[in-house]
Amino acid sequence: MAPIRVTEYNFEQRHQLRMVMISKAIKSIAFKKQQITKEFKKGDEVEVASQEYGFIGSYYKANIVSSTGANHYRVNYKTLLTDDKSAPLEEIVTAAEVRPGPPDQHEIISENNFRLYDMVDVYANDGWWFGFISGKAGQEYYVYFPTTGDNIAYPSHVLRFHQEWSNGKLILISRNS
């Protein structure tokens, strides 16, 4: 039996297969509604997962203004503004779109902590966007966003490990080994 030669082609095939598998996992997470396992109160700081086409897979910081009953909240966004840019955007969202904001990760993140295929959030365009590390060039990490098809380089200071709200807890799902 002849030995198997590992070539650049084999690596590229494995890399593409891995990208497809992780993309499917991220899409299934981004398109599903979160579990409603926590009741929020006025003033609570939260993140709202957008379910709007073109924004699926993004999270925006907000404060709870009030509960509007029947699993809905009125939220006031910290980074999104009204169309005329005169005030923070306020809207009613479903409870399935709301989760607590993850704790600050700057103490646990150093530039060397991110690896190929880690699931991360990138702070861009006023919110956190869900993707995964697809490569590194110099000091920047390429992040692929399966919900938009974009692959963009970012410095490490705008990245955080992605956490998913499950069973009343934020679960770190950074490594996809």
Side-chain angles (χ1 to χ4, degrees), residues 3-173:
I4 297 174
R5 291 181 35 205
V6 176
T7 64
E8 229 176 270
Y9 180 72
N10 289 343
F11 171 79
E12 185 60 30
Q13 278 184 318
R14 283 195 316 271
H15 178 69
Q16 290 304 318
L17 179 61
R18 193 90 183 258
M19 299 254 310
V20 167
M21 290 172 41
I22 297 170
S23 292
K24 285 180 183 177
I26 287 177
K27 284 180 182 177
S28 73
I29 292 169
F31 283 95
K32 81 172 171 64
K33 297 281 187 188
Q34 299 180 100
Q35 298 171 337
I36 303 172
T37 56
K38 179 173 173 68
E39 195 169 314
F40 296 99
K41 302 179 305 244
K42 179 179 180 176
D44 283 350
E45 291 187 5
V46 296
E47 286 187 343
V48 179
S50 179
Q51 295 300 311
E52 202 173 311
Y53 182 76
F55 296 91
I56 292 174
S58 62
Y59 298 83
Y60 298 90
K61 290 185 178 193
N63 287 319
I64 298 292
V65 174
S66 64
S67 172
T68 61
N71 294 322
H72 286 79
Y73 293 101
R74 178 176 296 281
V75 298
N76 188 305
Y77 291 98
K78 293 184 175 186
T79 58
L80 299 179
L81 301 175
T82 57
D83 288 338
D84 66 2
K85 300 187 184 336
S86 64
L89 179 63
E90 194 169 289
E91 68 178 358
I92 294 175
V93 297
T94 68
E97 295 172 278
V98 179
R99 70 179 195 175
D104 186 17
Q105 297 180 13
H106 287 299
E107 303 92 42
I108 60 169
I109 296 175
S110 74
E111 197 169 307
N112 295 326
N113 278 358
F114 295 113
R115 296 189 316 205
L116 190 61
Y117 311 121
D118 278 348
M119 291 188 189
V120 296
D121 296 326
V122 176
Y123 191 79
N125 301 319
D126 301 320
W128 291 97
W129 292 77
F130 186 17
F132 66 91
I133 304 289
S134 61
K136 185 175 182 190
Q139 298 301 309
E140 294 191 318
Y141 292 90
Y142 277 88
V143 178
Y144 181 71
F145 302 97
T147 59
T148 63
D150 294 323
N151 194 38
I152 303 171
Y154 294 96
S156 63
H157 74 274
V158 298
L159 303 179
R160 70 180 185 190
F161 292 115
H162 182 73
Q163 294 183 54
E164 201 53 39
W165 184 242
S166 180
N167 297 321
K169 292 188 235 176
L170 284 165
I171 309 295
L172 188 68
I173 55 171

